[in-house]
Amino acid sequence: MQFLAKSAFLCRTLRLPVRVPQLAFQSVRGVIGARPSTYPTHRNELLPFTINNLWDNKGARRKAKRVGRGPGSGKGKTAGRGHGGHRSRTGGGMPPRFEGGQTPLQRRLPKWGMKRRNTDFMEYLNLDQLYYFVKKGRLDNSKTITIRDMWLAGVFPRVKHGVKILGRGAAKFDVPVNIEVSDATEDAINAIKKAGGSVSIVYRTRLKMNEHLYPEKYPLMLQDPLPPPMKTTRLEKLRELGADVNYNVPLWVQEQRKEEETEKKSRKEEFIYPALRTPGIGANKIRRRRVKLQKVIDYGLK
């Protein structure tokens, strides 16, 4: 073996063809043995599910880069960080938004848009769409149409916060419909009432809406929620527009209504008509001029 290795080395250095003696090769052949042309593999076999047959895919685990281990590694001494500077320090480097000290892009551009976190994203339904589904027979206008009826009819694929009726197609809407929704516009309410129908507004939270859509999941009925002040103001505006509003009235709203009624009664009782025209009231009020005080300056000359 040593003879073969030395002869091969000399032939490579002198660029000569390698000539191995036949006797030497025959003597070594018995030690090396015949090389197999094929190796056993298990790619096409179904191996048993045991710990010794589990391994990662090729490239799943990558060796970590070893730095600071001498010049022979290529990453010694400065470990690939260069000779000093801010970036060579631990925790050094600039964030991607840093532009060398000039005003960065996120400050050069103005602020734009916002998204409120407590916004209810309702499903919108125009009057022409409602007219279409009623005429097709998918919605029965002989009874009150609820949000669940519209969901089962395929008007909406899903309903999270509620349904709001919009006024597109109000001019041609002539179907009497009693509908129950979460919100509606003034044009939609007027068009439905003109056609002989009614609009009832019911306040529901997301959990209450889920109970309305899936009653089989809630064996016990949930308590009606109390709307926040902004929602209460919106519901009262809808009541003024002519819709039937149904919600759990908070105590503070009840007290406010009582105070307003008592104030109206007290104003009616206090008001006397016609008003008295006595001296000191109205146009006959006695007006007196203010006494002008002369300003006296003492210079201390006395």
Side-chain angles (χ1 to χ4, degrees), residues 8 43 63 72 114 135 141 154 181 187 198-199 202 232 245 260:
R43 289 184 179 179
K63 290 185 178 180
M114 63 174 293
K135 286 296 183 180
N141 62 334
V181 288
D187 295 339
S198 64
V199 180
V202 180
T232 306
V245 182
E260 291 176 356

Side-chain angles (χ1 to χ4, degrees), residues 32-182:
I32 298 175
R35 291 187 177 182
S37 58
T38 57
Y39 293 91
T41 179
H42 50 262
R43 289 184 179 179
N44 299 327
E45 299 178 9
L46 187 62
L47 300 176
F49 191 74
T50 54
I51 295 176
N52 61 320
N53 289 324
L54 298 178
W55 57 85
D56 290 327
N57 294 328
K58 186 177 180 180
R61 298 187 65 179
R62 189 174 180 180
K63 290 185 178 180
K65 182 173 67 174
R66 299 178 77 247
V67 296
R69 294 297 183 273
S73 63
K75 297 290 181 182
K77 190 187 172 185
T78 56
R81 288 174 173 253
H83 292 275
H86 182 52
R87 294 185 179 180
S88 67
R89 267 60 175 175
T90 303
M94 294 297 174
R97 62 181 179 273
F98 186 69
E99 298 182 15
Q102 71 176 11
T103 306
L105 183 66
Q106 72 271 16
R107 291 185 60 192
R108 292 199 300 269
L109 299 178
K111 294 180 181 179
W112 178 81
M114 63 174 293
K115 184 177 179 181
R116 290 172 57 186
R117 303 181 73 179
N118 58 346
T119 303
D120 294 342
F121 296 97
M122 295 191 179
E123 306 295 332
Y124 298 121
L125 177 67
N126 282 284
L127 290 177
D128 54 357
Q129 295 173 322
L130 179 62
Y131 181 84
Y132 171 80
F133 284 107
V134 172
K135 286 296 183 180
K136 279 283 185 179
R138 296 172 67 175
L139 292 175
D140 186 9
N141 62 334
S142 62
K143 61 178 183 178
T144 303
I145 300 174
T146 60
I147 296 176
R148 188 171 189 272
D149 296 336
M150 290 186 279
W151 174 64
L152 292 174
V155 180
F156 307 108
R158 68 189 68 82
V159 180
K160 288 187 178 181
H161 300 281
V163 176
K164 183 175 182 178
I165 302 180
L166 305 181
R168 190 182 69 192
K172 299 181 179 180
F173 190 80
D174 56 353
V175 180
V177 171
N178 299 323
I179 192 166
E180 179 186 287
V181 288
S182 305

